[in-house]
Amino acid sequence: MKPIGKILEEITIESSVGYNETIEKLRLQQGPCSDENSFGVRVWFSCSKKGVIHFTNSSGKYGYSIYSVEGRVIEQNGKTYVKIYSTKNRFEKFDRWLSVILGVLLVLFAVAQTLLDQTIFQIENVLLLALWIFSIATTIHNTRHSEKNKEFDLDVYKNEIIERVEAIKRWDD
């Protein structure tokens, strides 16, 4: 089963041990990545009992990233492989831009309503507007940052999977 989203790149690595043992050893290596992504965050490597590899935040929740890397442990022709997929989540990008558009419309509506009612801006309204504007600006900044640094981030995650699969070869050293 392939991951959801547009696959940008697919890499296949052969494992030196069998299917179940590969999953077991990848599960033993779960935890924080050795390198930080472009946001300066160390995400967590995780592998399910079915051999699905994801990167999550420290609480185990999947991140909401436009670009991500996933993996699958598979067995073909008696050999075990780890397939690595670099993906682009179109829905996440759409969701971010939709939230920006709705946020801008909400701010414009709030300002227009205040002007039509001829009420003076109250401190609560000003703080709420500032919070909405900050949220919109943060979403735009993070989206642009993700686009700009996608190659770096994808390489960090791919290398994490590759390093852990290669570590299986040296498991008993």
Side-chain angles (χ1 to χ4, degrees):
M1 183 174 167
K2 291 189 177 185
I4 297 173
K6 179 181 177 185
I7 296 174
L8 303 173
E9 181 182 18
E10 184 178 324
I11 299 170
T12 303
I13 303 171
E14 187 175 349
S15 177
S16 60
V17 295
Y19 178 80
N20 290 329
E21 192 174 353
T22 298
I23 293 173
E24 178 186 332
K25 289 184 177 177
L26 286 174
R27 288 182 55 78
L28 289 171
Q29 296 181 67
Q30 295 184 115
C33 295
S34 56
D35 294 324
E36 297 176 344
N37 64 14
S38 63
F39 286 99
V41 175
R42 281 197 172 118
V43 294
W44 285 58
F45 172 88
S46 66
C47 181
S48 73
K49 292 178 182 177
K50 293 183 179 181
V52 178
I53 299 166
H54 284 286
F55 292 96
T56 64
N57 62 24
S58 60
S59 67
K61 303 290 184 202
Y62 295 120
Y64 301 105
S65 180
I66 296 172
Y67 296 97
S68 63
V69 174
E70 298 179 23
R72 305 280 192 274
V73 178
I74 61 168
E75 195 170 33
Q76 285 180 334
N77 302 326
K79 293 185 178 185
T80 302
Y81 299 97
V82 176
K83 285 200 175 255
I84 303 169
Y85 302 98
S86 298
T87 63
K88 178 179 182 179
N89 187 336
R90 291 182 184 144
F91 177 75
E92 182 61 33
K93 189 169 185 177
F94 171 78
D95 182 54
R96 287 184 187 196
W97 286 114
L98 181 64
S99 70
V100 166
I101 292 167
L102 290 176
V104 168
L105 291 174
L106 187 61
V107 167
L108 292 175
F109 175 77
V111 169
Q113 189 65 34
T114 302
L115 293 174
L116 288 174
D117 290 345
Q118 296 179 349
T119 58
I120 300 173
F121 279 103
Q122 297 173 344
I123 190 71
E124 301 90 33
N125 294 342
V126 172
L127 290 175
L128 187 57
L129 283 174
L131 182 63
W132 281 335
I133 291 168
F134 176 75
S135 174
I136 293 166
T138 301
T139 301
I140 292 170
H141 171 75
N142 288 344
T143 302
R144 287 186 175 166
H145 183 84
S146 292
E147 289 283 341
K148 184 175 149 187
N149 295 299
K150 73 178 180 182
E151 294 300 324
F152 176 80
D153 289 341
L154 292 174
D155 284 343
V156 167
Y157 301 143
K158 282 187 292 189
N159 290 336
E160 285 293 332
I161 296 174
I162 292 168
E163 287 173 9
R164 291 166 199 259
V165 173
E166 293 296 322
I168 293 172
K169 293 178 185 175
R170 302 180 306 275
W171 197 264
D172 294 324
D173 290 349

